[in-house]
Amino acid sequence: MDGLLAAFDEQMRMRAPADPPDGVTYEYDGPVLRVDYLSRGFIGTPRDIGVRGTELDRLIARQRDFFAARGKAVEWKTYGHDLPLDLTDRLRAAGFVPEDRETLLIGLAAELAAEPTPPDGVVLRQVSTDADIRRIAAMESAVWDEDWSRLADELIARIGATPDEIVVMAAEADGEVVSAAWVDFHPGTEFAGLWGGSTLPKWRGRGVYRALVAARAALAVARGVKFLQVDASDDSAPILRRLGFHAVSTTTPYVWSPPRS
């Protein structure tokens, strides 16, 4: 597992795509990667940021202030094995608030790929049209009881900019989207990332999520991908570990949000 984590840290922590979607910018600010998405910001880092004390405080404040000037929230992605050890304390002091901790899972794509077997009445299909992506966002909004239309905007932009680097899959029953997930491919690395997987309550526990994992793993193997990575919730992590994923660390987003007027 140490080897899996080392590979992830080396290949995935500071990646900037060659062709980002319109309106999305990637830039390096010293040791961090700053991403300005359509709806919010994101900060990625190496395992060891390499600065300490007041210099780290200034780096954190600079990222916060960059997005504050744009009226956007920003997520600083942290991992349980990051250095320095007081990074999260300093993020809190700068006004960043931790969200739910997730488990960083990595699996071998070849061991996870299988013929998907969704429950009776459910069909899996790859989708890419704006209409289908907005149906997925509507399903997510129903699951989480909040507006997820921004997800549709971001997925549509990514599909338009780099169609070979993302595949979105929908699980449908009687024409209704009951679950959806996508796989991100990262050229130049051995990794693909599995994301999504939200499922309407009445369809949970029936194998829809497992079928989506198997289908996406098969797509990854077909492209020569070696590793699959997931940031898993407490609900998903046990399922994924039973399927063959390994827990290698934890990950917690620290989010700063603009003050409400």
Side-chain angles (χ1 to χ4, degrees):
M1 288 190 287
D2 289 344
L4 295 176
L5 184 57
F8 174 81
D9 285 337
E10 178 182 354
Q11 298 183 38
M12 296 295 292
R13 293 287 294 264
M14 295 286 285
R15 291 192 67 259
D19 298 304
D22 290 342
V24 179
T25 60
Y26 289 74
E27 59 183 340
Y28 293 96
D29 182 0
V32 306
L33 174 63
R34 182 167 62 209
V35 188
D36 189 354
Y37 289 115
L38 298 174
S39 60
R40 70 189 302 185
F42 177 87
I43 304 298
T45 75
R47 181 196 175 191
D48 187 342
I49 295 177
V51 297
R52 303 290 191 269
T54 57
E55 187 177 356
L56 177 55
D57 291 337
R58 288 194 293 268
L59 177 68
I60 292 170
R62 195 159 63 242
Q63 310 318 311
R64 178 197 63 203
D65 295 347
F66 177 91
F67 290 102
R70 289 155 177 76
K72 292 182 178 180
V74 54
E75 171 189 334
W76 190 298
K77 183 79 162 175
T78 73
Y79 292 87
H81 60 294
D82 280 352
L83 297 172
L85 295 176
D86 65 350
L87 169 62
T88 55
D89 291 336
R90 293 181 181 276
L91 286 169
R92 289 176 187 268
F96 286 75
V97 177
E99 295 189 340
D100 292 342
R101 187 178 71 173
E102 297 179 311
T103 302
L104 173 61
L105 298 168
I106 298 176
L108 296 174
E111 294 180 357
L112 295 159
E115 184 67 29
T117 54
D120 291 343
V122 174
V123 176
L124 306 185
R125 67 185 183 96
Q126 297 181 29
V127 298
S128 60
T129 67
D130 291 6
D132 279 330
I133 299 302
R134 296 201 183 281
R135 291 172 65 224
I136 288 172
M139 181 274 298
E140 297 276 1
S141 297
V143 168
W144 298 105
D145 194 26
E146 60 183 55
D147 182 10
W148 276 59
S149 58
R150 68 184 186 281
L151 173 65
D153 295 336
E154 291 172 0
L155 289 176
I156 289 168
R158 291 186 55 206
I159 292 169
T162 54
D164 293 334
E165 295 181 16
I166 181 171
V167 175
V168 181
M169 302 196 71
E172 298 175 323
D174 295 326
E176 178 186 24
V177 176
V178 301
S179 185
W182 49 99
V183 52
D184 291 347
F185 296 100
H186 304 287
T189 80
E190 300 174 289
F191 282 83
L194 303 188
W195 302 95
S198 298
T199 304
L200 292 176
K202 67 181 180 180
W203 287 97
R204 293 173 190 166
R206 298 169 65 175
V208 177
Y209 182 68
R210 291 193 298 273
L212 285 168
V213 170
R216 289 175 291 162
L219 291 173
V221 169
R223 297 200 189 194
V225 170
K226 185 175 181 180
F227 302 119
L228 297 176
Q229 170 252 326
V230 185
D231 294 350
S233 68
D234 289 345
D235 290 334
S236 300
I239 300 171
L240 292 165
R241 294 185 72 170
R242 287 196 296 270
L243 292 176
F245 280 87
H246 303 280
V248 297
S249 189
T250 60
T251 179
T252 305
Y254 276 72
V255 177
W256 179 86
S257 300
R260 294 183 178 180
S261 55

